[in-house]
Amino acid sequence: MTSVKSIRVTVSTPVLLAGMLMTTIAMLGSFSPALAQDQPIVVKVDPVSTSDIIPIRLSGYSGEAYSVLDFDLSVVGFRVNGSDPSFELAALDEGGFGGILYDLRGGKKQVLGKRYNSGSARDMAHALADDVVAAVRKVPGIGKTKILFRCESPAGSKRFEIYMADFDGQNPRPITRDRTVVRDPSWNPVTGMAYYVSYLKGNPDIIAHNLRSGQRSVIANFGGTNSGPAISPDGNRLAMILSRDGNQELYLSSASGGNFTRLSFTSQMEVAPCWSPAGDQICVTSGARPMLHLVNANGGQMRRLQMAGASHATEPSWSPDGRWIAFTQTNGSRFSVYVVPAGGGDCINLVSGEDPSWSPNSRTLVFTRRVGGDRRVLSLLDVPTKQVKDLPLSSLGNCTQPTWGN
Amino acid sequence: MMVRFSTLLLAAALLISAGCQRKPGYVTPVGATDVVPEYSDGGWEIISEEPATSTTTYTEVPDSTVIDSWDSTPVGSDWSDGSSSTGQSFTGEDTTGSIPEPTSLIGSRDEETLAANTIYFGFDSSTIRQSEFASLNNVVAFLQNNPGARIKVEGHCDERGTSAYNLALGQRRAASAREYLINAGIDASRLSTLSWGEDRPAALGKTEADYAKNRRAEFVLVQ
């Protein structure tokens, strides 16, 4: 019943969105003639280096709109309301929510004008932030994306649930209410399927969970430990680690379970697989000294990734643009988020933390930080500028294992 | 500059991987019936593959609109009625407040005996130390004296290590302990394993003594 409803929503929404876009690019009085109603906006912004922090002034925004814009812009390398702004985003004086973006470098040039007619205040602010990001950073914004993660609720209870929230930690919703240990969430927003490990039956089993209907089914409940499900970018194949043959090895199955294929044949344990964005390769931790390895999804020899500067690598996440693999470097009890070029090379230490997951635009990472003893916090890292923002999820307890919906 | 460097590396890697020979016969298909017999626990069955058409319904929809529909994401809590698509039950008993406790075959005194023989490991190690032989031999004796008893070996870790790595390490610890019992003559079919990783610590402190208490394998009676 619910699934029928959601299908109807998804079919009709493109029409709504198209209409919304048309009205948002409607001309404002002060705009240049180039911004005619039925033409796409042509934004001319002088190139900004990817790694430059961009100072931007927000004028005329307050309350929720301000906080959303502040957050969304900060996690893609803007610095809001600092000194010497390069850009200014000015609220509309009248006629609803929107903004006019000015390039302040070498004179004040108007580069963008938007008005939004539908959606909640938060939705519209996210949409405006996305438009600013697209205009200045030349990458898609992440304001409308979601993350999946687990929380120990309350902290210290040893009971975990899977949650979904907006990428900025707002609107968290429980996906499970099982009061047991769950872990390793993975999901595919296109197919609407989530996968995770649940101990509900007393054993770590991999479960498929239809996020539209709430229906769950079993993927792998072999004796031993079934862990690390990772759904392929096309949503058709699931990578995972199974100990069914004794040692913990990398397997693939179909998205609904079955058709199990073993991909690794090592004496070491394999841990925490992730997919290349093209779906042709899998990155997995292996080795006596745990390091990242690649294996073709169709099988073949496992190849060690060259990783200068790393010594204990787990929890890889492959950027959707294919260029980087983020991972956790462990040194004793210290954890750092590193990236390495997907073809191997020098590792770059980004921030203290663990378990990174890339945003759909391959710029921002969501990761876990250990703070003050047993507390865990989810944070966002803008990789090129290294700006960090914590997600406001402390009321849910200790939240970990974030995964972005790419 | 970093960008250019990485592009070069990626290109180099692509060239290298393009030169690698694939081994067509390398993939070993494993059917659901290939489970090692002593590991089968008579629990859930692997559900059959659903028709490919069920996913294609959504693939035409742009991401942003799909995401909009999450606002009504149903919680997967309503599964005690067993209404899954294939009729397989991921239903389970009502586990209000806790993990289902295994039912004791023999009595609480025996559970205490097993609990008293928890074994401990070195940092980042799944090797059985000589100091743990006495505990393991007690478990062997228990199993020999109670031929109907089956136990689950549960591996645990301290919190130093990533969550993913620790889950795997805990499984290795459980497997090492199981291997010891098998080598001592216990039938493998009486011994199952699992890992809790770092999610069920025995001690919550941050000292080496606390960590040492958490690097363990416990022996739990099962029905």
Side-chain angles (χ1 to χ4, degrees):
Chain A
M1 192 173 70
T2 321
S3 61
V4 170
K5 196 196 290 176
S6 60
I7 288 168
R8 197 183 302 134
V9 169
T10 54
V11 168
S12 60
T13 312
V15 180
L16 286 175
L17 268 193
M20 183 176 138
L21 279 176
M22 283 307 159
T23 54
T24 58
I25 60 174
M27 261 194 57
L28 299 167
S30 61
F31 274 69
S32 66
L35 302 178
Q37 184 156 4
D38 291 329
Q39 292 174 357
I41 289 181
V42 179
V43 181
K44 286 182 181 170
V45 176
D46 292 337
V48 179
S49 168
T50 306
S51 57
D52 281 351
I53 292 176
I54 302 174
I56 186 169
R57 179 194 297 146
L58 301 182
S59 310
Y61 296 98
S62 60
E64 193 167 42
Y66 180 90
S67 55
V68 169
L69 290 168
D70 182 4
F71 191 98
D72 287 14
L73 294 172
S74 296
V75 296
V76 285
F78 287 83
R79 188 179 67 232
V80 173
N81 286 354
S83 57
D84 200 15
S86 303
F87 291 87
E88 177 178 0
L89 183 63
L92 305 182
D93 293 333
E94 54 185 18
F97 181 80
I100 302 169
L101 179 67
Y102 298 98
D103 188 342
L104 303 179
R105 300 167 300 171
K108 190 172 181 177
K109 299 188 298 280
Q110 188 176 290
V111 291
L112 185 70
K114 292 272 186 173
R115 176 190 291 144
Y116 304 86
N117 294 339
S118 63
S120 68
R122 293 191 62 80
D123 290 342
M124 292 191 289
H126 281 309
L128 175 58
D130 279 358
D131 286 329
V132 171
V133 170
V136 178
R137 284 288 187 200
K138 315 292 187 196
V139 295
I142 51 179
K144 294 167 192 155
T145 59
K146 309 278 185 191
I147 54 173
L148 208 62
F149 49 96
R150 76 165 189 174
C151 297
E152 185 191 31
S153 305
S157 66
K158 301 182 189 175
R159 296 201 309 236
F160 300 79
E161 306 291 354
I162 304 288
Y163 281 82
M164 178 179 283
D166 297 348
F167 89 103
D168 57 0
Q170 300 291 334
N171 301 315
R173 291 179 292 279
I175 300 299
T176 62
R177 285 206 184 95
D178 296 335
R179 298 176 189 165
T180 181
V181 172
V182 289
R183 54 176 298 133
D184 302 352
S186 171
W187 65 302
N188 185 310
V190 177
T191 63
M193 293 301 297
Y195 302 85
Y196 48 81
V197 173
S198 172
Y199 287 72
L200 188 65
K201 297 278 275 183
N203 201 67
D205 299 314
I206 296 174
I207 302 304
H209 182 142
N210 185 322
L211 295 172
R212 299 195 174 91
S213 67
Q215 194 173 85
R216 301 200 280 191
S217 55
V218 179
I219 297 287
N221 62 341
F222 302 104
T225 295
N226 309 281
S227 69
I231 188 65
S232 64
D234 66 5
N236 290 331
R237 286 180 295 176
L238 192 70
M240 71 199 87
I241 306 297
L242 305 177
S243 68
R244 54 182 277 180
D245 292 341
N247 200 17
Q248 293 170 90
E249 303 283 355
L250 172 66
Y251 289 78
L252 291 186
S253 77
S254 70
S256 53
N259 291 334
F260 283 88
T261 304
R262 182 169 158 182
L263 284 188
S264 72
F265 299 85
T266 66
S267 60
Q268 308 299 330
M269 58 194 192
E270 273 63 49
V271 182
C274 80
W275 287 87
S276 70
D280 60 336
Q281 293 187 84
I282 293 167
C283 181
V284 66
T285 292
S286 182
R289 191 177 64 161
M291 295 293 278
L292 302 184
H293 290 65
L294 303 183
V295 62
N296 288 337
N298 293 329
Q301 198 67 44
M302 192 178 277
R303 315 175 307 275
R304 181 172 170 166
L305 190 66
Q306 292 306 308
M307 305 173 71
S311 56
H312 188 295
T314 58
E315 304 178 332
S317 171
W318 206 314
S319 65
D321 66 6
R323 292 169 52 209
W324 299 96
I325 297 174
F327 62 96
T328 308
Q329 155 75 9
T330 307
N331 183 3
S333 53
R334 290 202 308 277
F335 304 91
S336 305
V337 175
Y338 277 39
V339 288
V340 62
D346 290 331
C347 297
I348 301 164
N349 183 354
L350 294 177
V351 69
S352 179
E354 62 199 286
D355 212 354
S357 176
W358 284 100
S359 65
N361 69 7
S362 302
R363 184 176 171 112
T364 310
L365 288 169
V366 60
F367 67 102
T368 303
R369 291 200 303 127
R370 300 190 186 207
V371 292
D374 287 316
R375 294 291 299 170
R376 301 285 191 277
V377 175
L378 295 188
S379 294
L380 300 183
L381 167 73
D382 180 51
V383 172
T385 65
K386 295 195 176 185
Q387 296 195 118
V388 171
K389 281 269 190 187
D390 288 344
L391 301 189
L393 292 166
S394 56
S395 65
L396 294 182
N398 285 328
C399 298
T400 56
Q401 301 182 354
T403 175
W404 220 309
N406 288 324
Chain B
M1 191 174 70
M2 196 169 76
V3 171
R4 262 184 227 142
F5 177 58
S6 70
T7 310
L8 280 173
L9 281 170
L10 184 58
L14 284 173
L15 282 172
I16 293 163
S17 63
C20 289
Q21 282 286 330
R22 283 187 188 175
K23 294 180 186 170
Y26 196 63
V27 175
T28 309
V30 185
T33 52
D34 289 342
V35 189
V36 179
E38 59 268 30
Y39 273 49
S40 68
D41 58 0
W44 298 313
E45 294 174 34
I46 303 303
I47 63 166
S48 59
E49 194 167 353
E50 41 178 272
T53 49
S54 63
T55 52
T56 53
T57 314
Y58 302 100
T59 50
E60 302 297 319
V61 181
D63 278 4
S64 57
T65 57
V66 173
I67 283 164
D68 287 345
S69 69
W70 296 144
D71 291 337
S72 55
T73 298
V75 174
S77 59
D78 187 19
W79 49 339
S80 53
D81 59 0
S83 62
S84 75
S85 60
T86 56
Q88 299 294 343
S89 57
F90 183 48
T91 53
E93 53 275 64
D94 180 19
T95 57
T96 312
S98 68
I99 293 283
E101 289 295 330
T103 312
S104 169
L105 274 180
I106 298 135
S108 60
R109 202 163 52 85
D110 298 311
E111 290 180 341
E112 285 166 20
T113 303
L114 289 177
N117 286 294
T118 294
I119 62 166
Y120 298 91
F121 294 84
F123 174 64
D124 196 17
S125 169
S126 57
T127 305
I128 307 279
R129 296 182 292 193
Q130 216 166 357
S131 59
E132 309 307 306
F133 289 176
S135 294
L136 284 159
N137 292 338
N138 288 340
V139 176
V140 170
F142 173 84
L143 288 166
Q144 285 167 342
N145 294 335
N146 298 276
R150 294 172 55 211
I151 59 172
K152 185 174 277 192
V153 188
E154 303 189 343
H156 298 265
C157 299
D158 69 29
E159 63 177 17
R160 296 174 298 169
T162 59
S163 177
Y165 182 79
N166 278 338
L167 188 69
L169 180 59
Q171 177 61 31
R172 281 212 134 184
R173 286 174 175 164
S176 292
R178 179 175 183 268
E179 193 68 29
Y180 183 99
L181 301 179
I182 291 170
N183 289 339
I186 303 299
D187 193 303
S189 66
R190 300 171 66 191
L191 306 166
S192 59
T193 57
L194 65 78
S195 173
W196 291 100
E198 63 187 54
D199 285 339
R200 296 271 162 152
L204 291 173
K206 303 288 172 193
T207 67
E208 173 51 37
D210 294 316
Y211 292 148
K213 284 176 192 156
N214 294 333
R215 299 190 297 262
R216 69 200 193 277
E218 296 181 351
F219 303 96
V220 179
L221 273 173
V222 293
Q223 181 67 51

